[in-house]
Amino acid sequence: MARSAQAASEDKQVSQQNEENLKSWYIGSIDQGTTSTRFLIFNGLGVPVASHQIEFKQMYPHPGWMEQDPREIVESVQTCIEEATKSFTEMGNSIDSIKAIGITSQRETTVLWDADTGEPLYNAIAWPDTRTQGLVRELKGRKGADQLQDICGLPLSTYPSALKLTWLLLNVKEVQQAYDAGKLMFGTIDTWLLYDLNGRKDRNLHVTDSTNASRTMFVDLHTLEYSSEVLDFFRLDPKKILLPRIVPCSDAEAFGSLASGILKGKKITGCLGDQSAALVGQLGFEPGMAKNTYGTGCFLLYNVGEKPVMSTHGLLATVAYNFGGKRKPVYALEGSIAVAGSAVKYVVNNLKFVESSDKISDCAATVNDNGGCYFVTAFSGLFAPYWIDDAQGTMFGITQYTQQGHIARAAMEATCFQTKAILDAMEKDSGHKLTELAVDGGMSNSDLCMQSQADIINIPVDRPVMRETTALGAAIVTGFAVDVWKEFEELKEINKEDRTIFKPRISQEESDKMYRRWTKAVEMSKGWLNSDSESPSQ
């Protein structure tokens, strides 16, 4: 007994010492999103101690088009690193205590640059951009189109990077010239940031991680290598286009280090797509675990384990995370909703109902329900599980009774209804029904929206206090590469305290009735785009 008590005391002392160490070890996390960039510094207990965030410009040159300036994105990252680190040191912390830097970023958004100059050849085409609708219709008729999803997990749609690259090759002279000369460099935002932050041509670092690579369509999900069959389908010559090397998300050497700035020399040891990062940040390490992130779009990832599951119900197969080393890659089923927080911004900026996005819940709370109003927010067509390219934003059930609050509520409920459709599809694909949904992202800050979500899906919704789970996920993969953590078990208490559970407050029958009306509204939103419209390339 004495020896047992002594052992317990020693274990407690070791645990306390480990906790003290974790409090003094820090990880920097670059979170480069669709509309804003932030840099957070976490301690080893997963607590953010300093951060800085700025928004950057979105460009909409034509209806359905969405572009970003690659240079401005890099500048926003550099500014956030500088400002957050200044705050960190002003608290009395040392830069030396920051062990490494991680990156998580918007996925699919495509950047092309010249290998000789290191300069972008066009604006970044953002993931919600729909200029390739005509091209998608054309490619669906090409031989081999029906086999692509079995290889890469993604359907032919305006969403993946492959379509954006193809459009740029067809429509931008400078891109075609660089391709013909064999000096066209391709990347998603993670690759562009790593190239630039490492000093561009000085180091010529051209890499991506397997989660971001899996969003391009170019990668065979089973091997995590570029598929010659897919490249042939898109008529790309691998000798003419420079594709980034694919590496695991957590790596002590592959991602280089910061070439300049206040954290010059700090190693970058983690990189993964934003939705994968959120799953890691929610500690979704076991098959059957899922999370839903309500950002500009909304993305539900469901861990399916170490083998990819190809959906037959409108979902995507993707890499969930890949820690490398002795750990095998883990895959997920994903439901992607193009418009979530951007619908809130539409109500704020276009309809002028409220002054800022954080007031949308107050507006929606002025009424008790949606008043029969349903808003299909198909600003970029409809993504999972529908994949309707010719749908456009449509509102149904408007009467003289309809008020601003009804429309505001309908805008938020649109994401909740699409989440319900995705969960139904996931149950069919996986054979398992979720009993609870973990949530994060900007819209999850709204109690009204999360209560609506629980009512519509008829299962509890679990929201953490610290909702920067995307940045936390990047910090976790980064920390594993430098031995801040070594086992998932060490993370089990991170961000677990004081979570809010929203339980359904309406009956299953009432929920089903609302969902039937939503489904009818989706059917009526189809075909608003002229089916004979051509892509600018044709």
Side-chain angles (χ1 to χ4, degrees):
M1 288 293 291
R3 288 175 59 188
S4 177
Q6 182 180 356
S9 176
E10 289 173 353
D11 287 345
K12 184 177 181 180
Q13 288 176 359
V14 170
S15 177
Q16 289 173 340
Q17 183 60 51
N18 287 340
E19 184 170 326
E20 288 303 312
N21 289 338
L22 290 172
K23 283 181 179 178
S24 61
W25 292 345
Y26 298 93
I27 298 290
S29 185
I30 297 166
D31 182 357
Q32 202 298 300
T34 307
T35 60
S36 70
T37 299
R38 68 193 78 186
F39 182 70
L40 297 91
I41 300 174
F42 291 89
N43 67 19
L45 298 176
V47 178
V49 297
S51 67
H52 189 78
Q53 177 178 0
I54 55 176
E55 293 191 352
F56 58 92
K57 184 179 179 181
Q58 309 296 316
M59 292 171 274
Y60 304 95
H62 301 286
W65 293 30
M66 182 177 176
E67 298 178 1
Q68 300 163 350
D69 182 347
R71 299 175 190 85
E72 186 185 2
I73 289 174
V74 172
E75 290 169 2
S76 71
V77 169
Q78 292 169 333
T79 299
C80 287
I81 290 174
E82 295 289 317
E83 295 303 319
T85 305
K86 285 178 185 176
S87 298
F88 179 73
T89 55
E90 287 168 0
M91 297 173 191
N93 298 305
S94 168
I95 285 177
D96 291 340
S97 63
I98 299 177
K99 298 295 183 183
I101 306 296
I103 296 177
T104 183
S105 59
Q106 54 175 314
R107 307 169 301 168
E108 300 94 18
T109 297
T110 300
V111 187
L112 301 178
W113 63 99
D114 187 299
D116 288 346
T117 67
E119 291 294 327
L121 295 167
Y122 193 80
N123 284 330
I125 298 183
W127 62 267
D129 186 285
T130 60
R131 74 186 68 190
T132 58
Q133 285 169 333
L135 184 60
V136 169
R137 287 195 293 272
E138 176 188 323
L139 291 176
K140 283 182 177 179
R142 184 177 289 180
K143 184 179 179 181
D146 57 347
Q147 298 167 15
L148 293 178
Q149 191 163 356
D150 289 336
I151 299 171
C152 67
L154 307 179
L156 268 174
S157 73
T158 61
Y159 188 25
S161 309
L163 279 298
K164 305 176 199 312
L165 169 60
T166 303
W167 185 93
L168 287 163
L169 279 167
L170 291 170
N171 292 277
V172 180
K173 181 178 67 174
E174 293 82 1
V175 171
Q176 182 65 61
Q177 289 173 340
Y179 177 77
D180 290 339
K183 58 179 185 177
L184 181 64
M185 298 186 79
F186 162 85
T188 42
I189 291 296
D190 61 304
T191 300
W192 167 246
L193 286 177
L194 287 164
Y195 176 77
D196 198 292
L197 294 175
N198 271 274
R200 292 200 182 187
K201 292 197 302 173
D202 291 344
R203 296 180 188 166
N204 204 33
L205 187 78
H206 194 208
V207 298
T208 188
D209 84 284
S210 43
T211 66
N212 279 296
S214 72
R215 312 303 296 184
T216 63
M217 285 195 83
F218 296 140
V219 174
D220 185 326
L221 271 192
H222 305 275
T223 64
L224 297 187
E225 296 175 353
Y226 290 111
S227 165
S228 58
E229 190 173 342
V230 175
L231 293 173
D232 287 346
F233 176 85
F234 285 102
R235 297 174 183 170
L236 292 170
D237 184 346
K239 295 178 181 178
K240 291 185 175 181
I241 186 167
L242 301 171
L243 299 172
R245 181 167 62 97
I246 303 169
V247 299
C249 309
S250 183
D251 194 293
E253 303 296 336
F255 303 117
S257 61
L258 296 180
S260 62
I262 195 169
L263 295 182
K264 180 179 179 180
K266 288 292 179 185
K267 276 191 170 185
I268 304 168
T269 64
C271 178
L272 73 174
D274 53 4
Q275 303 313 318
S276 290
L279 183 65
V280 171
Q282 290 273 19
L283 309 183
F285 297 126
E286 296 294 329
M289 290 183 169
K291 68 87 201 173
N292 205 25
T293 299
Y294 301 76
T296 300
C298 185
F299 302 89
L300 201 158
L301 260 67
Y302 178 92
N303 184 328
V304 297
E306 295 176 353
K307 292 183 179 180
V309 173
M310 297 300 173
S311 174
T312 56
H313 296 91
L315 304 181
L316 311 179
T318 194
V319 178
Y321 51 83
N322 181 8
F323 278 77
K326 296 179 181 179
R327 293 183 174 89
K328 293 181 179 180
V330 171
Y331 296 87
L333 281 171
E334 176 174 330
S336 308
I337 300 170
V339 175
S342 52
V344 172
K345 287 201 169 186
Y346 175 82
V347 173
V348 174
N349 298 333
N350 295 50
L351 301 184
K352 311 290 185 184
F353 284 3
V354 289
E355 294 178 356
S356 60
S357 297
D358 59 353
K359 302 295 184 185
I360 191 75
S361 290
D362 294 339
C363 181
T366 60
V367 294
N368 294 325
D369 53 36
N370 63 22
C373 180
Y374 291 81
F375 188 178
V376 183
T377 51
F379 302 155
S380 299
L382 284 171
F383 283 14
Y386 310 107
W387 300 109
I388 306 171
D389 287 337
D390 62 0
Q392 281 196 315
T394 41
M395 207 176 296
F396 300 95
I398 297 175
T399 66
Q400 288 181 319
Y401 171 74
T402 306
Q403 301 172 37
Q404 289 183 345
H406 295 123
I407 295 173
R409 188 180 281 261
M412 290 196 294
E413 287 181 350
T415 301
C416 302
F417 284 122
Q418 289 176 84
T419 296
K420 157 74 172 167
I422 288 168
L423 285 174
D424 287 352
M426 282 189 174
E427 184 179 348
K428 292 173 184 175
D429 277 331
S430 68
H432 298 284
K433 181 179 175 65
L434 278 187
T435 57
E436 189 174 83
L437 182 64
V439 299
D440 52 67
M443 284 180 70
S444 72
N445 292 327
S446 166
D447 288 0
L448 187 149
C449 185
M450 292 301 96
Q451 184 59 55
S452 295
Q453 185 67 87
D455 291 342
I456 288 168
I457 61 178
N458 220 248
I459 60 174
V461 167
D462 178 2
R463 184 181 69 187
V465 171
M466 199 286 289
R467 285 157 222 164
E468 300 289 358
T469 51
T470 302
L472 175 60
I476 288 172
V477 298
T478 300
F480 265 76
V482 292
D483 292 336
V484 172
W485 306 285
K486 295 181 181 179
E487 301 295 336
F488 293 150
E489 180 71 15
E490 298 172 51
L491 305 169
K492 63 182 181 180
E493 299 303 322
I494 285 181
N495 208 21
K496 290 298 183 184
E497 292 184 0
D498 300 322
R499 297 175 77 99
T500 302
I501 306 297
F502 297 88
K503 296 182 179 180
R505 292 180 179 174
I506 64 174
S507 67
Q508 182 74 58
E509 291 74 20
E510 190 175 350
S511 175
D512 290 344
K513 181 179 178 181
M514 292 171 64
Y515 186 61
R516 284 195 297 272
R517 288 179 177 174
W518 163 261
T519 302
K520 183 177 180 180
V522 168
E523 288 299 314
M524 295 173 69
S525 75
K526 294 179 181 179
W528 285 90
L529 287 175
N530 183 353
S531 61
D532 296 324
S533 65
E534 301 292 344
S535 120
S537 67
Q538 295 176 309

